[in-house]
Amino acid sequence: MRAFEMPPHARMSLTQQLLMRALVARFWKQPYRGRLERWGTALHDRFMLPHFVWADLCDVAAELQAFGYDLRPEWFAPHFDFRFPRLGDFDAAGVQVELRMALEPWHVLGEESGAGGTARYVDSTLERIQVRARGLAGERYLLTCNGRRLPMQPTGSVGEAVGAVRFRAWRAPSALHPTIDPHAPLTFDLLDSWTGRSVGGCQYHVAHPGGINYTSFPVNALEAEARRLARFFRIGHTPGPMPVPRAEPNPEFPYTLDLRLA
């Protein structure tokens, strides 16, 4: 149970314990004797995105139901929204685009001299956002982030695709690649490749766009959501003619656009 993050509500913790008990009982009845899958870099690419994490959880629930344990995926909807908060969405040209926070592992740095001894800092300056689009048909429309093309991959549903953007959110005195500036705010565009213009988009700010520095924690989930929504705008897409950016395929990370890489 120590591998799980402590949830903010007792019922969410109870659901996690129920999942663990069901898995132990299922493998006690029939141990898994198949070969383990070597995922490689997909663990830091595909399974960092909430869409595939949720699909994997649904597969686990379906397998447990086949063994007689009525575990339902909707019981874990609070866990999903808590770990992958919804940042915002916009509609343009019949395409619905949704932004959600994704997972991003943070590296532990080497020892540095600190007050009264040594310390090991964590590089928490990187963030990752999932971009899911519905209604994409053909190759006319494509999504860009700060003028660079997002590697949108089909999910198996008609007209639906998922991609991610990895970016430096802020600057820290101790971090990897200290010469790379923050990429925020992020400007997302739905680009019409036929006309060379953006037909819609949004902007996401890591901090409050007005420079407000909060001095206290949010009192409840509603205030936290209000602070998060204040950093998202359904306006601010690139005006005027826009060149169609070239594709940047990465065989190691096919779902993620890393803005740190030139």
Side-chain angles (χ1 to χ4, degrees):
M1 292 297 297
R2 293 186 63 184
F4 284 95
E5 182 182 14
M6 182 180 294
H9 198 278
R11 292 186 177 180
M12 296 172 64
S13 178
L14 181 63
T15 310
Q16 292 179 355
Q17 299 176 39
L18 183 62
L19 173 62
M20 291 294 295
R21 294 184 63 182
L23 288 173
V24 170
R26 176 255 183 270
F27 290 117
W28 188 275
K29 286 184 177 180
Q30 182 179 343
Y32 181 77
R33 304 189 184 280
R35 298 183 59 184
L36 297 179
E37 183 73 22
R38 184 174 180 86
W39 293 105
T41 57
L43 293 176
H44 289 144
D45 180 50
R46 175 182 173 187
F47 289 107
M48 293 289 105
L49 306 184
H51 176 83
F52 298 101
V53 172
W54 182 255
D56 194 50
L57 178 63
C58 291
D59 290 341
V60 172
E63 183 177 353
L64 290 175
Q65 290 174 3
F67 276 81
Y69 304 101
D70 190 16
L71 195 77
R72 303 178 184 178
E74 55 266 23
W75 295 351
F76 297 91
H79 300 76
F80 182 79
D81 290 328
F82 175 72
R83 174 41 49 206
F84 306 109
R86 183 170 172 271
L87 302 178
D89 59 13
F90 71 92
D91 297 348
V95 180
Q96 298 83 40
V97 181
E98 179 196 58
L99 272 63
R100 278 189 182 270
M101 188 62 66
L103 300 177
E104 178 58 43
W106 289 341
H107 297 282
V108 180
L109 306 180
E111 293 184 350
E112 299 182 26
S113 299
T118 59
R120 299 190 67 184
Y121 296 99
V122 176
D123 184 5
S124 59
T125 62
L126 297 181
E127 293 185 5
R128 189 181 312 224
I129 293 178
Q130 174 190 270
V131 182
R132 184 176 67 175
R134 294 177 175 175
L136 289 175
E139 299 181 354
R140 177 175 181 178
Y141 296 104
L142 54 93
L143 284 164
T144 65
C145 177
N146 289 4
R148 298 176 63 177
R149 187 169 182 172
L150 283 173
M152 304 298 292
Q153 304 292 339
T155 63
S157 300
V158 178
E160 184 181 55
V162 168
V165 54
R166 188 186 190 197
F167 64 100
R168 166 146 287 169
W170 54 286
R171 186 187 296 276
S174 296
L176 296 173
H177 311 294
T179 59
I180 298 179
D181 295 327
H183 302 101
L186 300 181
T187 302
F188 294 90
D189 290 287
L190 182 65
L191 177 62
D192 187 350
S193 61
W194 292 4
T195 62
R197 291 180 178 271
S198 174
V199 297
C202 63
Q203 273 193 351
Y204 170 73
H205 295 257
V206 174
H208 193 282
I212 297 177
N213 183 21
Y214 297 104
T215 59
S216 62
F217 292 105
V219 296
N220 52 30
L222 295 178
E223 183 181 355
E225 183 180 5
R227 292 185 183 184
R228 188 167 59 249
L229 293 177
R231 297 186 278 114
F232 179 83
F233 297 91
R234 289 190 177 94
I235 58 176
H237 64 276
T238 304
M242 183 177 177
V244 178
R246 63 178 179 85
E248 302 178 31
N250 188 341
E252 298 292 335
F253 302 96
Y255 289 89
T256 305
L257 169 66
D258 197 336
L259 293 182
R260 300 175 304 163
L261 304 178

